[in-house]
């Protein structure tokens, strides 16, 4: 245990932890061992200790290939080993490999390749755990030794070399297989630690029972089982058996397994019966569980546990007591049992527990369960309301009899999220026939084969034992275990998906301008020395906040900023003169700073307007003589581009960047981060991470769907850190630049070998150099002693020393400098002087682009062959030699993926907030009518996100009409469905969703809004593409319609009321001929917001909708009917159209439309209000009394509550105490289809309404 550091005596523990000043931190900081490896060894003991790496390599390979998993298929890394692409492999080679995998290799690697993979895994583990080399160092500097493990994504592989081609297209790699090996290595050590603790407990028990031969034999058998356990569930099986056997050792086992203190074990029925000696009755009346396991042929599970099932001869002899069960039971009546039947029940419980805890039997059931178990997912009542065809959980909403082994990727994380939110119910089960098969097979192994009356009596008990063991213990336990295992496997897939999201974000080249007048061979060197200037623009988030522009110099430092009140705002205010003045200011700002790029944050409704106005300003420079000089001489025009704003926007509130830019306003920090993100995404993300944890802001970056549900905050940050390490160690960090530009310095934390603890003394040592700049890499180790040798070796190739010697300004590792010198010597055909000056001049010539022809003709293969011989050192180095030559051609070339503009989909989502789950063809949405375009014969609407919608005349209504304003009016809120795109005769898709113009085509015809149409879309989107998906409700599923139909009805009152309505001939599932008394009686036991449509007491020209607002509070909504269909006496009893509800001016064609567009939205808003945390049930006077009681307890408090008004039906009431007088004030809120109408304003949510109330409650109410 480390001794206390000096800081622990001087500061609070929270400060010490945050500043990494503990004694453990000091040890990590001072050790010559990579920081990340040191931290992991603290978290997982024995991680960096030598062990049998060959055995571990086999275990890891099996896990990567899916052995021991629920699904039994290769993991993502296993798929890459099988079907991934290697550098220089052609498509033809990959097609041949795919054919061989399917037809010749049986879906597995051939033996030779498998053996090579095992050798590489073993070598990799040794290098990491015993030599202290980080994954990124090995993958970049010792690639030749890891060749079989470098299969990866096709897009990351180097293209094939054609003919004599020597120019290699280098690419960054994510090293997925190596990372999987690394992660499984940690899992393996955790398993070994757990096994070791269990063995220690058994050893203590062996010492304590050394004189008891039977106990010794049992404990020795458990030791062998533990030693041969390959998976956590196997260890858990043995630990469960140990819990039954050990008494005092059971608590010790708990402490060992959990790493905590002892805890008392819950006393079970089994414990009670054992204390009454029923276990002895089990031993004399039942075969040993291990004998039963032997009969089940379960030794395949413990093949490496030699002697585990070498049971003694007497144990193999069939056990059948001479006495009957009742006769033996009589001997135990003095133990507290009432009669023989109670003793037999106790025997059954003990026997079933003993069988259910035998590791062999458990493994046999587990194997069977994983093969045949199925699952069903169905929505809850809330899930049926919220999960439509396009919801993120739609694919798992309703699945029937899906095998557990068929779950893929993150599916189970989706189900877990649905269950957590109360939207889904999940059931994993073994089909009844399979359960009976288990019972039958176990009975055959457990029951006696004798044929006698006594044997049949004992077999009857044994069959009951087997049934209890299988049905009540084993199957439920294995089901819970399998569910937990599926969650774990899905979580691993989620972590990979999160990493891939972070990798796509970071693995982008810096934005570079399109140079003019520069030869292709000179582009790299020109860009390397070009200081790219950027102006970044952040649009206003609302009409109150300003649009912000900042100018950054070539190193990303802030030069100037500009804030504008109306520029770049949609529907901007301000006078014409103000707008012209701000346009002039923007033009002058851009002209003065002459940027190569104007980066616009792609977020918010104003982003598109801002980009369009900036395009006009920069485009005008070419037309105005005075502004042509504003364009940098290297380019022909200033480019204006949208930039992903998901990371930069966090700089407004993030705590980590405040140290550098704390004095700046939040929007300016935001804009600075945006410009830097276009230059170096990794450095910007690295600045969000806090070394001591608590990186809340970075954890909010959206990496993949459902990341918050499956991964903790720390796990999400870990995925980002891994992506940073992959990126930074392959692109390098300019150390001298970090001295003058703090925003780059945090990237050094992710260089191999370094970390936040080692970085501080590293930078401190460099600052002591004259001028604060390094001349060479060796100086770090020999003169400054900034790091020790092992850490230096890990970090060296990623440390870029500009303006030093040419080798230190390249990715070539110092251990390969001799190879670089040899290449230079052969290329230039000279003997290079080993003295510093001569060597430098020769190497500078080699790095000169004009000398490339001499380098390109070298046969590196011959040199590699020599190096592989004992005379050359016996090393594999062909790939290293190729990389050295490419570094001489383009030192520290940016090998990340090409910078690309945001796609139309990405811009649409960033600007509007709409995703495929919120806006897609077939989706039902709510929108507001903005204008009626008589010329274009269409209705223009607006979605909540600001997207413009178009409803053409033929899509407005099923019934004929003369004018559009007969059907809709401006300000009306309507429900519509997104139309599918139409294909023209030329194959071009039109209408649907127009991503470029932020426009969508809709339909609100009644037939297009019907349930039948929704079902057709569900069948098209889900049922035909999702295996095991069920369109029809499953047994036991709570549907909305069934919930309404199953509501208990109150018995009619004894006194019959006089009929106060006229029965109507209306055929609709929600309509019922009843009075308001009968309607309220039916709804009394229902849920809030349930409703019934009924005849009105006003006559046949009206209907009423009775809605339950709260207990004993009902709202009778008046529905006025239009013209009746047909003629005759009964025509008045039919439904007239159009329909109008209460004071609303909206007209509805039928009850379906009225329910969908008015009643159900009102019911939904009412339900949301009642479920709100500030809602208080009760009568008005009861709410007032509650508030006054709260005020009496704390007179400094100003309590308020939301309730349903029992005086004004259809209204909510905000009750509050505003002054010290304690008087309760009331304000009323009308529930409308578009939200809550309060103080002449409409609010879409309760929170926004209450927020407005809290700000304006002191202001007078306009009544």
């Amino acid at each position: 245990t480390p001794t206390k550091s000096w800081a622990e005596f001087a500061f609070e523990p929270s400060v010490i932890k945050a500043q990494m000043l503990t004694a453990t931190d000091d040890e990590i900081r001072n050790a010559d061992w990579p920081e990340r490896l040191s931290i992991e060894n603290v978290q997982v003991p024995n991680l960096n200790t030598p062990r049998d790496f060959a055995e571990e390599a086999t275990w890891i390979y099996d896990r990567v290939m899916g052995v021991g998993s629920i699904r039994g298929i290769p993991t993502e890394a296993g798929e890459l080993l099988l079907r991934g692409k290697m550098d220089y492999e052609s498509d033809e080679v990959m097609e041949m490999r795919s054919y061989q995998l399917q037809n010749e290799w049986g879906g597995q690697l051939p033996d030779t390749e498998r053996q090579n993979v095992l050798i590489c895994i073993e070598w990799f583990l040794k290098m990491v755990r015993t030599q202290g080399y980080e994954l990124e160092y090995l993958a970049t500097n010792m690639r030749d030794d890891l060749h079989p493990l470098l299969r990866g994504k096709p897009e990351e592989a180097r293209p094939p070399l054609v003919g004599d081609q020597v120019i290699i297209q280098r690419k960054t790699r994510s090293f997925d297989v190596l990372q999987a090996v690394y992660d499984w290595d940690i899992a393996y050590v955790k398993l070994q630690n757990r096994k070791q603790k269990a063995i220690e407990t058994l050893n203590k028990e062996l010492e304590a029972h050394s004189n008891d031969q039977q106990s010794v034999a049992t404990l020795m058998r458990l030791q062998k089982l533990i030693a041969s356990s390959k998976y956590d569930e196997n260890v858990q099986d043995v630990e469960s058996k140990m819990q039954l056997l050990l008494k005092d050792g059971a608590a010790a086992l708990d402490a060992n397994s959990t790493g905590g203190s002892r805890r008392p074990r819950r006393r079970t029925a089994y414990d009670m019966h054992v204390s009454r000696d029923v276990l002895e009755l089990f031993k004399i009346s039942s075969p040993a569980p291990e004998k039963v396991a032997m009969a089940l042929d379960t030794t395949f599970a413990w093949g490496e546990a030699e002697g585990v099932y070498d049971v003694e001869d007497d144990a193999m002899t069939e056990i059948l007591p001479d006495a009957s069960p009742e006769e033996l039971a009589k001997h135990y009546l003095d133990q507290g049992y009432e009669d023989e039947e109670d003793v037999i029940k106790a025997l059954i419980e003990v026997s079933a527990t003993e069988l259910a805890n035998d590791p062999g039997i458990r493994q046999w059931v587990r194997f069977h369960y994983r093969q045949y178990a199925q699952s069903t997912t169905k929505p809850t009542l809330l899930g049926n309301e919220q999960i439509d065809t396009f919801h993120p959980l739609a694919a798992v909403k309703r699945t029937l009899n899906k095998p557990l082994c068929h779950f893929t990727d993150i599916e189970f994380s989706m189900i877990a999220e649905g269950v957590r939110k109360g939207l889904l119910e999940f059931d994993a089960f073994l089909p009844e026939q399979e359960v009976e098969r288990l019972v039958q097979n176990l009975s055959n192994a457990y029951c006696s084969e004798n044929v006698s009356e006594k044997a049949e009596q004992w077999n009857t008990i044994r069959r009951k034992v087997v049934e209890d063991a299988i049905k009540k213990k084993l199957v439920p336990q294995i089901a819970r275990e399998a569910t937990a295992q599926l969650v774990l496997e899905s979580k691993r897939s989620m972590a990979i998906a999160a990493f891939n999201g972070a990798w796509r974000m970071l693995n982008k080249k810096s934005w570079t301008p399109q140079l003019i007048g520069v030869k292709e061979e000179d582009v790299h060197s020109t860009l390397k020395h070009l200081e790219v200037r950027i102006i970044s623009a952040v649009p206003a988030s609302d009409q109150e906040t300003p649009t912000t522009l900042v100018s950054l110099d070539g190193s990303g430092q802030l030069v100037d900023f500009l804030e504008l009140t109306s520029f770049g705002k949609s529907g901007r205010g301000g006078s014409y003169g103000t707008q012209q003045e701000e346009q002039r200011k923007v033009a002058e700002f851009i002209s003065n700073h002459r940027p190569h790029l104007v980066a616009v944050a792609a977020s918010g409704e104003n982003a598109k307007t801002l980009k369009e106005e900036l395009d006009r300003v920069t485009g005008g420079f070419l037309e105005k003589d005075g502004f042509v000089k504003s364009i940098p001489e290297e380019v022909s025009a200033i480019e204006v581009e949208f930039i992903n704003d998901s990371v930069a926007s966090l700089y407004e509130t993030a705590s980590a960047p405040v140290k550098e830019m704390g004095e700046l306003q939040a929007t300016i920090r935001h804009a600075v981060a945006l410009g830097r993100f276009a230059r170096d995404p990794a450095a910007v993300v690295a600045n969000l991470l806090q070394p001591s944890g608590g990186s809340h802001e970075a954890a909010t970056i959206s990496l993949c769907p459902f990341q918050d549900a499956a991964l903790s905050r720390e796990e999400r940050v870990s995925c980002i850190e891994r992506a940073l390490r992959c990126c930074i160690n392959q692109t390098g960090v300019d150390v001298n630049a970090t001295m003058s530009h703090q925003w780059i310095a945090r990237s050094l934390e992710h260089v191999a070998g370094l970390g936040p603890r080692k970085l501080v003394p590293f930078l401190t040592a460099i600052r002591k150099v004259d001028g604060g700049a390094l001349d060479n890499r060796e100086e770090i180790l020999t003169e400054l002693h900034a790091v020790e040798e092992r850490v230096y070796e890990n970090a060296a190739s990623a440390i870029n020393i500009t303006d030093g010697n040419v080798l230190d300004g390249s990715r070539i590792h110092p251990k390969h400098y001799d190879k670089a010198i040899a290449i230079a010597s052969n290329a230039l055909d000279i003997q290079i002087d080993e003295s510093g000056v001569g060597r430098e001049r020769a190497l500078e010539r080699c790095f000169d682009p004009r000398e490339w022809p001499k380098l390109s003709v070298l046969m590196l293969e011959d040199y590699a062959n020599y190096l592989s011989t004992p005379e050359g050192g016996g090393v594999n180095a062909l790939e290293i030699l190729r990389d050295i030559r490419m570094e001489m051609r383009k030192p520290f070339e940016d090998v990340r993926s090409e910078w690309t503009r945001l796609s139309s989909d990405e811009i649409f989502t960033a600007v509007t907030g709409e995703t495929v789950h919120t806006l897609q063809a077939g989706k039902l949405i709510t929108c507001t009518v903005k204008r009626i375009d008589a010329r274009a014969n269409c209705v223009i609407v607006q979605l909540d996100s600001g997207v413009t919608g178009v409803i053409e005349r033929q899509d407005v209504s099923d019934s004929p009409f003369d004018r559009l304003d007969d059907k809709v009016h401006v300000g009306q809120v309507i429900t519509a469905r997104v139309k599918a795109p139409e294909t023209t005769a030329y194959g071009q898709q039109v209408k649907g969703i127009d991503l470029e113009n932020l426009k969508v085509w809709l339909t609100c015809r009644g037939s297009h809004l019907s349930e039948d149409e929704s079902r057709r879309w569900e069948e098209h989107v889900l049922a035909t593409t999702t295996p095991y998906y069920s369109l029809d409700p499953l047994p036991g599923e709570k549907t909305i319609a069934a919930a309404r139909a199953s509501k208990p009805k109150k018995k009619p009152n004894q006194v019959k009321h006089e009929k106060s309505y006229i029965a109507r001939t209306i055929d609709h599932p929600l309509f019922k001929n009843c009075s308001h008394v009968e309607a309220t009686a039916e709804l009394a036991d229902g849920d809030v917001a349930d409703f019934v449509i009924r005849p009105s007491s006003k006559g046949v020209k009206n209907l009423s909708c009775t809605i339950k607002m709260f207990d004993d509070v009902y709202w009778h909504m008046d529905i006025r009917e239009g013209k009746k269909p047909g003629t005759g006496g009964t025509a008045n009893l039919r439904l007239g159209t159009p329909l109008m509800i209460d004071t609303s001016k909206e007209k509805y064609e039928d009850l379906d439309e009225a329910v969908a567009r008015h009643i159900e939205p009102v019911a939904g808003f009412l339900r949301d209000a009642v479920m709100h945390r500030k809602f208080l049930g009760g009568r008005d006077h009861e709410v007032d009394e509650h508030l006054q009681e709260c005020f009496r307890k704390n007179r400094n408090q100003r309590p308020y509550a939301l309730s349903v008004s029992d005086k004004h039906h259809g209204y909510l009431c905000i009750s509050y105490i505003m002054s010290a007088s304690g008087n309760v004030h009331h304000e009323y809120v009308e529930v409308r289809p578009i939200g809550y109408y309060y103080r002449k304003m409409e609010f879409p949510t309760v929170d926004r309404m209450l927020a407005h109330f809290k700000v304006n409650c002191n202001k007078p109410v306009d009544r």
Side-chain angles (χ1 to χ4, degrees), residues 286-533:
S286 174
E290 55 265 25
K291 177 190 173 184
V292 179
M294 189 71 161
L296 290 169
D297 191 25
T298 61
T299 53
F300 72 90
W302 309 98
E304 298 179 12
E306 184 178 353
V308 168
Y309 287 99
D310 293 344
V311 293
E312 300 175 2
D313 292 339
D314 58 345
M316 294 298 297
T317 306
E318 184 175 2
I319 294 179
L320 188 65
D322 295 330
S324 67
E326 289 76 11
E327 292 171 345
L328 280 181
K330 289 179 181 178
H331 298 289
Y332 294 85
L333 293 180
D334 59 348
Q335 297 293 329
Y337 296 105
E338 293 185 0
D339 51 30
E340 293 86 347
E341 185 177 351
D342 277 355
V343 176
I344 292 174
K345 288 180 180 178
L347 174 62
I348 290 172
E349 172 64 23
V350 170
S351 303
T353 303
E354 286 286 335
L355 288 183
N357 283 275
D358 181 81
I361 296 176
R362 289 182 68 85
Q363 181 64 10
W364 173 72
V365 174
R366 180 180 294 112
F367 179 79
H368 195 91
Y369 186 92
R370 291 184 176 184
Q371 272 193 314
Y372 300 105
Q374 297 177 355
S375 67
T376 295
T377 309
K378 57 187 176 186
T380 61
L381 186 60
L382 183 62
N384 266 319
E385 291 179 355
Q386 294 190 10
I387 304 177
D388 64 1
T389 305
F390 306 97
H391 192 277
L393 298 177
V396 296
K397 174 183 178 181
R398 189 184 292 113
T399 56
L400 179 63
N401 298 337
K402 181 173 183 174
L404 288 188
C405 56
H406 286 190
F407 280 98
T408 58
D409 299 331
I410 65 171
E411 275 186 332
F412 207 78
S413 292
M414 296 166 62
I415 292 174
E417 173 71 353
V419 172
R420 186 181 67 83
K421 289 186 173 180
L423 302 176
L424 297 176
E425 294 177 357
F426 175 78
D427 180 32
F429 60 92
L430 198 61
E432 189 61 33
Q433 64 271 22
E434 297 301 330
V435 175
E436 294 302 326
R437 186 147 68 107
L438 284 176
V439 171
Q440 184 61 46
N441 290 342
L442 186 55
S443 296
N444 293 340
Y446 187 55
C447 291
S448 172
E449 296 181 355
N450 288 351
V451 180
S452 66
E453 182 179 353
K454 182 177 61 177
E456 183 56 34
Q457 290 175 345
W458 281 108
N459 281 346
T460 300
I461 293 176
R462 290 182 181 180
R463 280 190 285 269
K464 176 61 176 172
V465 168
V466 168
E467 193 164 322
D468 283 4
I470 293 292
K471 295 183 178 180
K472 294 183 179 180
K473 299 182 183 298
L474 280 167
V475 169
Q477 290 170 7
I478 300 298
R480 288 193 294 270
E481 174 194 286
T483 301
Q485 184 70 14
L486 276 174
V487 170
L488 186 60
E489 292 178 15
S490 183
K491 189 174 185 176
R492 291 194 188 103
S493 296
M494 181 68 73
I496 293 172
F499 164 77
N500 288 335
W503 179 245
R504 285 191 296 270
M505 176 178 63
L506 300 178
N507 186 33
K508 295 286 186 185
K509 288 184 178 180
S510 303
W511 180 90
T512 52
Q514 297 293 321
L515 301 178
I516 56 175
V518 179
K519 296 180 181 179
E520 184 179 352
E521 58 268 23
D522 297 330
V523 169
H524 172 72
S525 59
T526 303
L527 288 175
K528 190 173 182 179
H529 297 93
L530 176 65
E531 292 192 353
V532 177
R533 297 180 298 277

Side-chain angles (χ1 to χ4, degrees), residues 1085-1105:
D1085 294 328
D1087 297 327
V1088 169
D1090 283 355
F1091 60 88
V1092 170
I1093 301 175
R1094 60 179 179 82
S1096 172
S1097 58
K1098 294 181 179 179
V1100 294
K1101 293 185 178 181
N1102 296 70
L1103 294 176
S1104 282
C1105 177

Side-chain angles (χ1 to χ4, degrees), residues 978-1016:
V978 180
K979 292 185 68 176
E982 301 173 2
T983 305
T984 65
Y986 302 99
Q988 182 182 7
Q989 287 194 334
V990 296
K991 301 184 179 179
I993 301 175
D994 184 350
L995 301 174
E996 298 289 343
N997 299 306
L998 308 185
K999 189 180 293 186
V1000 59
W1001 271 259
L1002 307 169
T1003 174
C1004 59
R1005 296 173 62 174
S1007 59
H1008 292 168
L1009 303 180
S1010 66
E1011 287 293 328
D1012 290 340
E1013 183 69 10
S1014 295
R1015 183 180 175 89
R1016 279 193 290 272

Side-chain angles (χ1 to χ4, degrees), residues 79 81-84 89-108 113 151:
E79 282 295 324
L81 278 177
L82 292 170
R83 297 176 173 83
E89 279 188 343
S90 64
D91 292 338
E92 292 76 14
V93 171
M94 290 302 299
E95 290 176 5
M96 176 58 69
R97 182 180 179 85
S98 179
Y99 173 83
Q100 289 176 313
L101 269 172
Q102 186 173 352
N103 299 286
E104 299 176 11
W105 300 344
Q108 298 292 327
E113 187 173 344
R151 284 195 177 274

Side-chain angles (χ1 to χ4, degrees), residues 204-222:
K204 292 178 183 178
E205 293 297 317
L206 280 168
E207 291 178 9
H209 300 85
S210 57
N211 296 326
D212 185 348
Q213 291 185 355
Q214 186 176 1
S215 296
V216 169
T218 303
L219 293 170
M220 290 293 291
R221 181 178 295 115
L222 290 179

Side-chain angles (χ1 to χ4, degrees), residues 123 162 214 237 847 868 872 973 1042 1102:
W123 181 87
V162 181
Q214 186 176 1
D237 291 344
F847 277 76
S868 64
V973 177
N1102 296 70

Side-chain angles (χ1 to χ4, degrees), residues 581-602:
E581 175 62 18
E582 290 197 344
Q583 276 195 350
R584 185 194 64 76
K585 286 183 179 180
V586 171
E588 185 177 338
F589 186 78
I590 296 175
S591 177
N592 290 340
H593 297 290
R594 303 180 66 222
H596 297 86
L597 169 70
V598 177
V600 182

